[in-house]
């Protein structure tokens, strides 16, 4: 199976100074005793005892990232 990195698109859409949608590439795998899920582009990660727990923690941390980003002015976002 071939993959082309040019086909991967990560995005954050901002509408009325709030994030309306977000799409990120997430890599996950086991690191020692724990599973890790990470978005290299946004430097957001999560970890847990199972891959599902790592992804759940990642989603929580991504929501915190989005909440913090929504607090930043539009001028600072660009």
């Amino acid at each position: 199976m071939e993959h082309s990195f040019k086909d991967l698109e990560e995005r954050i859409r901002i509408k009325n100074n709030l994030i309306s949608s977000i799409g990120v590439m997430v890599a996950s795998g086991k690191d020692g005793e724990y599973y890790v899920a990470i978005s290299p582009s946004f430097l957001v990660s999560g970890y847990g005892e199972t891959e599902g727990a790592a992804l759940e923690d990642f989603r929580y941390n991504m929501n915190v990232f989005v909440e913090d980003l929504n607090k930043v002015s539009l001028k600072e976002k660009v």
Side-chain angles (χ1 to χ4, degrees):
M1 179 184 298
E2 274 189 47
H3 295 284
S4 172
F5 287 106
K6 68 180 181 181
D7 295 335
L8 298 175
E9 179 182 73
E10 295 184 297
R11 63 176 164 50
I12 295 180
R13 292 202 172 111
I14 299 171
K15 185 176 182 179
N16 298 323
N17 202 31
L18 294 174
I19 295 173
S20 61
S21 69
I22 190 165
V24 299
M25 182 177 67
V26 179
S28 64
K30 196 162 186 178
D31 184 20
E33 295 181 27
Y34 295 95
Y35 286 87
V36 177
I38 185 168
S39 168
S41 297
F42 293 102
L43 296 178
V44 175
S45 63
Y47 71 95
E49 292 182 359
T50 65
E51 189 171 22
L55 290 169
E56 184 177 331
D57 191 50
F58 172 82
R59 282 191 221 52
Y60 173 81
N61 292 332
M62 198 67 199
N63 283 328
V64 171
F65 172 82
V66 168
E67 287 173 8
D68 289 346
L69 192 57
N70 277 335
K71 293 175 185 174
V72 176
S73 73
L74 184 59
K75 185 178 179 181
E76 293 173 300
K77 289 176 188 172
V78 178

